[in-house]
Amino acid sequence: MTPSVNLTSVYVLRTIKLLSVRNLTRISKKFYYRGGNLKTMKLESPAFQSILTSELNTLVNIFDKYDHELRIAGGAVRDLVLDMVPHDIDFATTATPTQMKEMFNIEKIRMINDSGEKHGTITARINDKENFEVTTLRIDVVTDGRRAEVEFTRDWQLDANRRDLTINAMFLGFDGTIYDYFNGVEDLKNRRVKFVGDPVSRIQEDYLRILRYFRFYGRISEKGNDHEESTLNAIKENASGMKIISGERIWMELKKILCGNHARDILPTMLQLDLAPYMGLPDKADIEEYRTVCCATEGLDPQPMTRLVALLANDDEVHLLHKRIKLSRDELQLGSFIVNHRKDSFDNDPMKYCQFLFTDSPGEMKKLTERICELLKYRGEKDLMDQFMKWESPKFPVNGYDLVDRQIPKGPIFQGTLHELKQIWKFSMFTKTKEELLENLDEIVEKVTEKVPSKKRK
């Protein structure tokens, strides 16, 4: 009888041979092989053919000339298997960064972005036309839940082991051969999102993978809530690990989830797994309001904040969210704007409401228009939004110089007078001229002065 072979031992020994003696103790303690079963198949599709540019062929020929393997890696392979042209293409190679730099220098290929070298990435610019990011195969030696200390390897299967999801752990040769170690092609065919190997281990290597899982679930799955129970349990068990992830990284992933497929179901699932406090969201988020807004904004291309703010009760919660995930100034202002106006009454003239809101709200014209449109998306008012976007806001005919010329004192009286004039103009439906507005200026100033405390009039 042929003795059974322990693949774990085989690959650990192979890895140890590839690394220097000084690293053996650390590897034996920290590195664990996770398995994998290589399957190969041929890919022939218009999408694959479309990426084979002359610049890419030049890159491939250089690696062939110096006897280094080069393949397409990660997400680009996933997209090509789905017959989609990838937006970005990453490459993996058996060559070390030093070897890549040597051959690129010999071939007079320009290299850019030196900061990637410490992570094993060299960016080559071919024919001053296309940039190609090429990364040396790696294994994770030590991880802390955010970053990994890596060692270079020449073993493609070991590199596949360090990746997060099965659908992202494939490689593609330039002859069309797919190298699939964890049934990624089958998972894509079944629209299934799974971690490579043990979900708990993959998550603990980088807790951001929790959000990456949900982002890719939205992209791949055909159903809104068809997760494997073991995956959800692993996420809930490790939810607290999210506290060490930066707010910027969380928001980057969360935005894609909010505007992706199944957003109506995915975020509530995330909240049920106790992720809310680590994303800056309240424990008692308004899930029903969120689901309603997701339905109302379907097909309207809402900004991520337009949907996310539905979970928040008030402006204080908007600012607590900002404190955790570091919103941009425009995102913060949009969130506050929607929270403060989402329950406003349109009365009997919705268009008039929009015009008056535009007139009364501070802000640059273009951004203010965008905020009102997002508010209307939130409320599902597509027809009203289309009507409002066609409206050309008239220019307020009075400015500060007009009041200075009439010796109105600067300060509260000046500001109050300008505001009162704008209200008169607004309620005339923007028809009153400058002369008509200034006709009764003395009476307006007197009225405003009476409202200003005497100690502030000066």
Side-chain angles (χ1 to χ4, degrees):
M1 179 181 295
T2 304
S4 61
V5 178
N6 188 322
L7 289 179
T8 299
S9 300
V10 170
Y11 280 100
V12 168
L13 288 173
R14 182 187 300 179
T15 304
I16 290 174
K17 290 179 181 178
L18 292 171
L19 301 172
S20 60
V21 174
R22 63 184 174 85
N23 286 324
L24 288 184
T25 302
R26 183 169 53 181
I27 291 297
S28 64
K29 289 182 178 179
K30 298 294 185 179
F31 175 69
Y32 299 93
Y33 179 71
R34 297 193 287 271
N37 183 25
L38 175 62
K39 296 178 181 178
T40 61
M41 61 213 76
K42 283 287 188 178
L43 175 67
E44 296 179 0
S45 70
F48 176 49
Q49 294 301 319
S50 71
I51 69 169
L52 300 178
T53 63
S54 59
E55 285 73 27
L56 178 53
N57 288 332
T58 297
L59 184 75
V60 173
N61 291 335
I62 291 173
F63 278 83
D64 285 344
K65 178 179 177 179
Y66 292 86
D67 198 26
H68 298 301
E69 291 183 89
L70 178 72
R71 297 175 186 170
I72 298 171
V77 184
R78 178 194 66 240
D79 291 344
L80 289 167
V81 170
L82 294 173
D83 200 19
M84 298 166 52
V85 178
H87 295 294
D88 298 301
I89 303 178
D90 294 325
F91 300 86
T93 181
T94 55
T96 65
T98 300
Q99 290 170 327
M100 284 192 276
K101 288 170 67 177
E102 288 175 352
M103 68 181 184
F104 286 146
N105 282 326
I106 294 172
E107 298 296 327
K108 295 181 169 43
I109 298 297
R110 178 185 168 198
M111 288 171 280
I112 61 177
N113 190 20
D114 293 340
S115 62
E117 184 177 347
K118 62 183 178 181
H119 304 295
T121 300
I122 300 295
T123 302
R125 184 164 179 80
I126 307 293
N127 298 337
D128 202 27
K129 186 175 181 181
E130 279 192 77
N131 296 338
F132 298 94
E133 284 192 1
V134 188
T135 302
T136 304
L137 297 178
R138 299 173 291 175
I139 56 175
D140 292 342
V141 180
V142 181
T143 62
D144 64 1
R146 289 181 295 175
R147 295 173 295 271
E149 183 179 335
V150 301
E151 297 282 359
F152 299 139
T153 179
R154 293 180 60 84
D155 191 313
W156 292 91
Q157 188 159 346
L158 292 181
D159 185 275
N161 273 288
R162 64 178 293 275
R163 297 177 182 265
D164 54 0
L165 304 171
T166 63
I167 57 176
N168 294 334
M170 299 178 286
F171 300 100
L172 176 62
F174 298 97
D175 62 350
T177 300
I178 297 173
Y179 300 86
D180 181 10
Y181 296 93
F182 296 98
N183 295 319
V185 171
E186 182 180 345
D187 286 339
L188 279 177
K189 179 180 178 181
N190 294 315
R191 298 292 177 172
R192 184 170 54 212
V193 182
K194 296 178 62 177
F195 284 102
V196 169
D198 175 41
V200 172
S201 298
R202 297 299 74 71
I203 290 169
Q204 291 178 351
E205 290 165 350
D206 182 356
Y207 291 100
L208 188 68
R209 287 175 172 174
I210 290 174
L211 297 186
R212 283 176 57 82
Y213 165 80
F214 286 109
R215 170 159 67 91
F216 282 107
Y217 182 90
R219 292 185 60 178
I220 301 301
S221 180
E222 292 180 336
K223 299 179 181 179
N225 199 1
D226 189 27
H227 309 274
E228 293 189 355
E229 185 175 354
S230 60
T231 299
L232 296 185
N233 290 338
I235 290 172
K236 186 169 185 176
E237 179 183 335
N238 290 277
S240 62
M242 289 274 291
K243 64 187 175 186
I244 67 173
I245 304 299
S246 72
E248 291 87 347
R249 294 179 75 194
I250 288 174
W251 184 220
M252 188 179 299
E253 294 291 332
L254 195 53
K255 283 190 283 190
K256 296 173 183 177
I257 293 170
L258 286 162
C259 292
N261 298 328
H262 312 307
R264 179 180 179 274
D265 296 312
I266 290 176
L267 204 54
T269 298
M270 294 168 65
L271 299 184
Q272 290 169 9
L273 299 176
D274 302 331
L275 296 175
Y278 308 108
M279 299 187 294
L281 295 170
D283 292 330
K284 296 182 179 180
D286 194 338
I287 293 177
E288 287 307 311
E289 175 76 357
Y290 171 78
R291 291 183 183 276
T292 299
V293 170
C294 282
C295 292
T297 54
E298 193 68 38
L300 298 182
D301 192 25
Q303 292 187 28
M305 275 301 293
T306 302
R307 285 182 167 176
L308 185 60
V309 79
L311 293 166
L312 310 179
N314 50 51
D315 201 32
D316 289 341
E317 291 188 354
V318 174
H319 282 80
L320 286 174
L321 173 70
H322 168 57
K323 185 177 181 180
R324 174 63 180 110
I325 65 174
K326 305 299 187 293
L327 301 168
S328 70
R329 182 180 178 183
D330 286 343
E331 290 165 343
L332 177 60
Q333 290 177 341
L334 174 61
S336 294
F337 186 84
I338 292 177
V339 163
N340 291 327
H341 294 290
R342 60 187 171 188
K343 300 300 182 183
D344 288 357
S345 173
F346 287 168
D347 294 325
N348 296 322
D349 195 338
M351 184 59 184
K352 181 179 177 180
Y353 163 83
C354 294
Q355 294 168 336
F356 282 14
L357 181 60
F358 180 90
T359 305
D360 291 338
S361 301
E364 186 266 327
M365 183 180 297
K366 181 179 179 182
K367 291 182 179 179
L368 184 54
T369 300
E370 289 176 355
R371 284 179 209 139
I372 294 176
C373 286
E374 291 301 312
L375 173 65
L376 296 176
K377 291 177 187 178
Y378 184 101
R379 298 176 61 149
E381 298 283 354
K382 181 183 183 306
D383 293 340
L384 179 57
M385 180 184 71
D386 293 339
Q387 184 183 358
F388 174 70
M389 290 181 67
K390 295 176 183 177
W391 178 63
E392 294 186 10
S393 59
K395 183 178 179 180
F396 180 45
V398 177
N399 58 46
Y401 293 111
D402 296 317
L403 300 191
V404 170
D405 290 343
R406 287 159 178 78
Q407 300 182 345
I408 307 301
K410 289 188 176 180
I413 294 176
F414 188 97
Q415 296 167 358
T417 300
L418 200 59
H419 172 75
E420 191 66 27
L421 288 170
K422 180 173 280 191
Q423 294 304 301
I424 294 171
W425 175 68
K426 180 184 76 174
F427 283 108
S428 76
M429 292 309 296
F430 317 105
T431 59
K432 281 189 177 292
T433 64
K434 178 192 293 189
E435 291 72 22
E436 290 173 328
L437 291 170
L438 297 177
E439 187 175 9
N440 299 312
L441 183 61
D442 291 341
E443 295 177 13
I444 295 171
V445 172
E446 183 178 351
K447 177 182 177 182
V448 169
T449 302
E450 290 175 355
K451 296 180 181 180
V452 175
S454 57
K455 63 181 180 180
K456 292 186 177 181
R457 292 178 187 176
K458 184 176 178 180

